[in-house]
């Protein structure tokens, strides 16, 4: 189907990407909520004034980015943070046996403090800003696997101090309590040696090789939401990345 004048009015960039951005805006402003069934391709095409094929390409892109989930025979839904495909988008450690599972967590401590220079830079906040710091231990199959340090900009997490507990799936917490959907992330991976503190938590010897993963998680507007440093024991697990 040829583009209509309404389609041409979007500009010179690929039309489906511009339509996609307009649909992502519905996730950002809360018009579409996690788990919600979205309108059909035909309905969206009619509403926006573009071809159904353009809508399909935009939705396919959002599905590939794990923002939407297609359910055969039921339609397309806004992805919820507890969806298994979403969880494994951001958790890449897999037991050497090959069976993927999501880790459990035990919070060691959490506190509100002034940001360090590195935290302020990574989270794009003022050097004098406050942050929430969470330290937790993560387990796979009952064995301690990761010592994790999470830093959150306090300004974006108003009322964090009112939490009675910090759940295992914090991305779901961000979405449900603060309307912050994690859409993407950047990771830097490096080999390190376990510190004395790491060894105490992970049950290994100081100096044992670990994998350090520094991740910045972004919302749908590509603004930093979280800085996470994971120090991972990989004696019985490996990091997997699907190259597509």
């Amino acid at each position: 189907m040829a583009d209509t004048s309404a389609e041409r009015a979007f500009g010179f960039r690929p039309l489906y990407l511009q339509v996609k951005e307009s649909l992502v805006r519905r996730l950002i402003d809360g018009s579409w909520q996690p788990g919600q069934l979205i309108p059909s391709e035909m309905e969206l095409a009619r509403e926006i004034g573009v071809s159904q094929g353009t809508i399909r390409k935009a939705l396919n892109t959002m599905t590939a980015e794990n923002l939407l989930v297609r359910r055969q025979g039921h339609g397309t839904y806004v992805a919820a943070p507890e969806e298994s495909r979403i969880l494994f988008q951001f958790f890449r450690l897999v037991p050497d046996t090959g069976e993927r599972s999501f880790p459990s967590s035990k919070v060691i401590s959490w506190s509100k403090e002034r940001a360090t220079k590195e935290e302020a830079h990574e989270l794009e906040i003022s050097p004098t800003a406050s942050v929430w710091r969470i330290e937790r231990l993560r387990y796979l199959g009952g064995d301690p696997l990761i010592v994790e340090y999470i830093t959150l900009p306090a300004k974006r997490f108003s009322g964090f101090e009112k939490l009675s507990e910090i759940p295992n799936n914090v991305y779901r917490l961000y979405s449900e309590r603060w309307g912050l959907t994690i859409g993407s992330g950047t990771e830097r991976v490096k080999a390190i040696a376990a510190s004395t503190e790491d060894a105490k938590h992970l049950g290994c010897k100081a100096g044992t090789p670990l994998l350090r993963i520094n991740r910045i998680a972004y919302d749908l507007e590509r603004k930093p939401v979280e800085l996470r440093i994971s120090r991972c024991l990989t004696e019985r697990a490996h990091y997997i990345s699907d190259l597509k």
Side-chain angles (χ1 to χ4, degrees), residues 117-187:
K117 185 176 180 180
E118 177 189 5
E119 290 168 337
H121 172 73
E122 299 284 29
L123 294 172
E124 299 178 10
I125 57 178
S126 165
T128 61
S130 296
V131 296
W132 285 102
R133 294 202 188 104
I134 305 164
E135 181 182 3
R136 63 181 186 171
L137 190 57
R138 312 203 74 183
Y139 300 81
L140 267 185
D143 296 323
L145 184 74
I146 307 168
V147 181
E148 195 169 70
Y149 303 91
I150 297 173
T151 304
L152 306 171
K155 188 175 181 179
R156 302 200 72 182
F157 289 85
S158 176
F160 194 89
E161 69 280 358
K162 297 178 182 178
L163 293 176
S164 57
E165 63 178 357
I166 298 173
N168 185 36
N169 186 351
V170 293
Y171 284 3
R172 181 178 183 180
L173 173 68
Y174 303 165
S175 175
E176 293 182 347
R177 187 153 184 144
W178 290 280
L180 295 171
T181 298
I182 302 301
S184 60
T186 299
E187 291 188 340

Side-chain angles (χ1 to χ4, degrees), residues 13 64 68 82 92 99 101 117 141 148 150 158 160-161 177 179 188 202 235 237 239:
R13 289 188 302 114
L68 300 175
E82 67 270 19
R92 300 298 186 89
E99 183 179 349
S101 61
K117 185 176 180 180
E148 195 169 70
I150 297 173
S158 176
F160 194 89
E161 69 280 358
R177 187 153 184 144
R188 299 191 302 273
L202 297 173
E235 291 178 336
Y239 182 93

Side-chain angles (χ1 to χ4, degrees), residues 66 81 83-95 99-105 136-141 143-148 168-169 171 187 213 215 228 230-233 237-242:
N66 291 317
E83 295 271 1
S84 61
R85 62 185 295 181
I86 309 302
L87 295 177
F88 292 121
Q89 177 187 2
F90 296 103
F91 186 75
R92 300 298 186 89
L93 286 181
V94 180
E99 183 179 349
R100 302 192 76 165
S101 61
F102 195 65
S104 59
S105 302
R136 63 181 186 171
L137 190 57
R138 312 203 74 183
Y139 300 81
L140 267 185
D143 296 323
L145 184 74
I146 307 168
V147 181
E148 195 169 70
N168 185 36
N169 186 351
Y171 284 3
E187 291 188 340
I213 305 172
R215 178 198 299 163
R228 181 180 303 209
S230 302
R231 300 169 71 89
C232 314
L233 186 63
H238 56 275
Y239 182 93
I240 186 170
S241 178
D242 296 319

